[in-house]
Amino acid sequence: MKKIILMVFFCFSLSVISAADAGQKQHDETKVPQQVFDGFRQDLFGKEILDYVKESYKDNSMAVTIQDGVELSEDRKGGGFIVKFTVTPHSKRSKMSGTDTITFRVNPFILATDKKESAITFLNLHHHDPTKQSR
């Protein structure tokens, strides 16, 4: 009898451990790698980034390369989030150097309403010229 109870207890223990491992494995598989999430945000904002870079430089031949990594923070003043991208601008008309930081405010609450306004608001574009050194 002791052997049967011991075997039942042993089998039950193994099944609990296996279920816990499976639950943890499933949780780990649902995590999105940072690189994939950054790519998702870059694709989501790609058109807005290009439009505002063209508008800022007053040059329709502009193109941009979006750098890896996206800065995301909470917007405590206006609600929503602040999203910053670092881009390298390219132009067919003029020689460009340096990078730009382009900043957007995203208000996800607008997406949940029937309003026709955009959930993405352009805040600013700051150019970083590597040839100018701060002193």
Side-chain angles (χ1 to χ4, degrees), residues 47-122:
K47 182 182 179 326
E48 283 81 7
I49 290 170
L50 185 57
D51 289 347
Y52 286 109
V53 167
K54 285 179 178 180
E55 184 179 314
S56 294
Y57 286 103
K58 310 266 188 273
D59 183 351
N60 284 334
S61 71
M62 292 297 294
V64 294
T65 302
I66 302 172
Q67 306 284 322
D68 287 339
V70 177
E71 186 179 326
L72 177 67
S73 60
E74 187 177 357
D75 182 11
R76 295 172 193 245
K77 293 180 189 175
F81 301 92
I82 300 295
V83 183
K84 292 184 180 183
F85 295 91
T86 302
V87 300
T88 305
H90 311 280
S91 174
K92 294 178 183 177
R93 294 184 186 169
S94 62
K95 186 176 191 287
M96 302 288 300
S97 64
T99 60
D100 294 342
T101 300
I102 189 163
T103 307
F104 296 98
R105 176 182 294 119
V106 180
N107 189 344
F109 306 110
I110 292 176
L111 296 174
T113 65
D114 292 334
K115 295 179 181 178
K116 299 293 183 204
E117 58 187 295
S118 176
I120 300 171
T121 305
F122 171 75

